[in-house]
Amino acid sequence: MTSTVTPQAPDILSAEYLADPYPFHKVLRDSHPVTFHEATQSWLLSRYADCAAAFRSPAFSSRNYEWQLEPIHGRTILQMEGKEHATHRALLNPFFRGKGLEAFLPVITRNAAELVEGVVTRAAGDLVDGFAGRGRADLVADFTTWFPINVMVDMLGLPKSDHQRFHDWYHSIMAHLNNLAGDPAVTARADQTREELRDYVLPIIRERRDGDGDDLLSRLCRAEVDGERMSDEEIKAFVSLLLVAGGETTDKAIASMVRNLLDHPEQMAAVRADRSLADAVIAETLRFSGPVHMIMRQTEEEVTLSGTTIPAGATCILMLAAANRDERHFADPDRFDIARTDLDVAKAFSGAANHVQFVLGRHFCVGSLLARTEMTVALDLVLDRLPGLRYQEGFSPREAGLYTRSVESLLVEFDPTPA
């Protein structure tokens, strides 16, 4: 008689997990789909069906953001529910889809091109080099970590001279959110960032309340739904949230997208020849190596999933990366394949998506189409301006991160092209 021993639930804070979480995700899905993690005092949900159900169920709320995000951002739409959430979503939606988003396409395209190809400074008329002419680059340090932040600053109608300031604030907030060890220096810098950002943004908001500017910040100041406007503090909190939601995720998603294509040159060749495949590349990147690996929720009542009962008031970690590679939902899920037939590309950037990277239900990511647009612009630029793109000799990409994850650097070389 043979006996099957159930493997122990992996520790998501262990060095082994942090080095390569994907094999451990399978152990969780197969043997511990809903399990209590002692170190974080949280319940881990790893199967697609359970995560999707939790996102759509009112039994799971985003009340956890009161302690997780509010201390650094202030109160944001992420932790709102009911009528308050619906009102704020209605205020924000017009700026991130349709004609509202189209109005910002030149800003997105210009910022990407300036980083890759260089920019002529207005004052001196000098060309500040991009990296396209060098033939070598670290696409993370030279491009992805700057691109979405620069876009956000320009969309808000803030001075280009403040790109560096926002970039520093962005890294400070991300260090705080990933400060699992509780380093007091990291916490102190994040507290300083919160105050600096508040002191910077609030006077600008007050100044633009009665203006007629077309920038995002001015339009947010004037926006109304049923006679309601966002308060100064709510707009400030949204700007702070944009640093993370609009910066970190797109930064990491673009880096992973390029890495996936470098690892699969035949698929890079296919999209280079047929740009209509761009959405498939982006959607499959979000499924296969999405930047957000975990997201928290809180139970408002007792809930039973996969045969396990979670008590009311419990913190849950929904493991998006594990859910998106669940073989119960996707065939051969550990294979990157832009031609897969079980990923609904047509719905991948909407609330009807069948991956969970953008969340599902009432809190579906309001910036999903902005992320898609930025990734498309970045993909076209990489394919058009970096011919012969390949890894630098001896370089092997390495992922890092727990809640958010991507390659730390992307050392590439290519055939240099004139500006």
Side-chain angles (χ1 to χ4, degrees):
M1 178 182 291
T2 59
S3 60
T4 303
V5 178
T6 301
Q8 184 176 357
D11 178 9
I12 62 171
L13 301 183
S14 69
E16 293 79 11
Y17 178 91
L18 289 169
D20 183 8
Y22 302 104
F24 296 107
H25 289 167
K26 181 168 175 54
V27 174
L28 286 168
R29 288 192 304 264
D30 290 350
S31 303
H32 307 277
V34 179
T35 187
F36 187 71
H37 184 249
E38 190 71 33
T40 59
Q41 292 291 292
S42 303
W43 292 83
L44 308 181
L45 281 61
S46 52
R47 287 183 181 172
Y48 180 93
D50 291 337
C51 289
F55 283 135
R56 293 184 171 115
S57 171
F60 289 82
S61 77
S62 55
R63 195 186 300 272
N64 53 285
Y65 288 136
E66 292 174 3
W67 56 265
Q68 188 186 11
L69 294 182
E70 188 170 344
I72 189 69
H73 294 305
R75 195 161 184 274
T76 72
I77 189 174
L78 294 183
Q79 62 201 86
M80 297 174 184
E81 298 287 353
K83 183 178 185 298
E84 182 185 30
H85 176 263
T87 298
H88 280 74
R89 194 169 183 99
L91 282 165
L92 294 172
N93 272 340
F95 306 114
F96 293 95
R97 59 191 64 246
K99 292 186 182 300
L101 179 57
E102 288 175 15
F104 292 115
L105 183 58
V107 173
I108 297 168
T109 303
R110 183 182 68 247
N111 273 282
E114 286 177 352
L115 287 166
V116 175
E117 300 172 348
V119 57
V120 177
T121 60
R122 293 190 182 96
D126 296 329
L127 176 66
V128 178
D129 288 338
F131 56 81
R134 298 202 310 255
R136 295 168 69 85
D138 178 349
L139 288 183
V140 172
D142 294 334
F143 182 58
T144 70
T145 191
W146 288 95
F147 173 43
I149 299 300
N150 292 3
V151 166
M152 188 201 75
V153 171
D154 284 6
M155 284 178 65
L156 291 168
L158 302 173
K160 281 184 176 294
S161 57
D162 288 330
H163 281 176
Q164 181 67 58
R165 183 186 302 196
F166 272 84
H167 195 258
D168 293 342
W169 285 338
Y170 159 58
H171 282 288
S172 171
I173 293 173
M174 288 315 306
H176 170 74
L177 295 178
N178 288 289
N179 186 23
L180 300 177
D183 184 336
V186 173
T187 300
R189 175 62 188 127
D191 289 341
Q192 181 182 348
T193 289
R194 182 187 63 236
E195 295 305 314
E196 288 176 357
L197 184 61
R198 187 176 189 277
D199 291 344
Y200 174 94
V201 172
L202 281 178
I204 299 174
I205 292 171
R206 292 167 187 143
E207 177 187 319
R208 296 189 186 181
R209 277 292 184 189
D210 299 318
D212 58 358
D214 287 333
D215 60 88
L216 177 59
L217 191 55
S218 294
R219 292 162 67 187
L220 285 172
C221 288
R222 296 194 304 270
E224 287 189 19
V225 169
D226 297 332
E228 291 191 37
R229 287 188 177 189
M230 293 174 71
S231 70
D232 292 358
E233 286 289 341
E234 286 171 338
I235 294 174
K236 185 275 299 180
F238 182 67
V239 171
S240 181
L241 179 64
L242 272 178
L243 278 170
V244 177
E248 171 80 351
T249 54
T250 307
D251 166 5
K252 285 179 161 47
I254 294 172
S256 291
M257 173 178 67
V258 178
R259 184 261 181 101
N260 290 336
L261 292 176
L262 285 166
D263 288 344
H264 300 84
E266 74 291 348
Q267 297 187 53
M268 181 183 283
V271 71
R272 191 188 297 277
D274 180 2
R275 299 303 169 86
S276 70
L277 296 173
D279 276 355
V281 173
I282 296 168
E284 177 66 346
T285 292
L286 296 173
R287 183 204 69 83
F288 179 77
S289 53
V292 182
H293 270 223
M294 304 176 183
I295 195 167
M296 288 185 178
R297 288 293 186 264
Q298 181 174 308
T299 51
E300 296 300 304
E301 60 190 59
E302 188 179 272
V303 180
T304 299
L305 292 171
S306 290
T308 298
T309 299
I310 305 172
T315 298
C316 299
I317 297 178
L318 281 62
M319 307 188 69
L320 308 187
N324 277 334
R325 292 200 188 189
D326 189 347
E327 50 279 296
R328 296 158 191 78
H329 191 72
F330 294 107
D332 197 7
D334 292 322
R335 176 171 54 90
F336 179 81
D337 181 9
I338 64 174
R340 67 169 52 249
T341 58
D342 52 6
L343 178 62
D344 193 339
V345 174
K347 297 178 180 178
F349 311 100
S350 73
N354 71 330
H355 64 84
V356 292
Q357 180 60 204
F358 285 137
V359 181
L360 298 173
R362 62 197 182 282
H363 282 287
F364 180 80
C365 177
V366 71
S368 62
L369 294 179
L370 173 61
R372 172 198 185 189
T373 301
E374 290 180 314
M375 291 180 74
T376 301
V377 168
L379 177 61
D380 280 338
L381 209 58
V382 164
L383 295 176
D384 291 337
R385 299 291 284 127
L386 309 179
L389 187 67
R390 55 203 178 270
Y391 291 130
Q392 291 181 21
E393 186 175 355
F395 173 75
S396 180
R398 178 182 177 275
E399 282 190 0
L402 178 63
Y403 287 99
T404 60
R405 187 176 178 90
S406 186
V407 288
E408 293 181 300
S409 62
L410 206 55
L411 302 184
V412 298
E413 56 187 20
F414 44 87
D415 306 329
T417 58

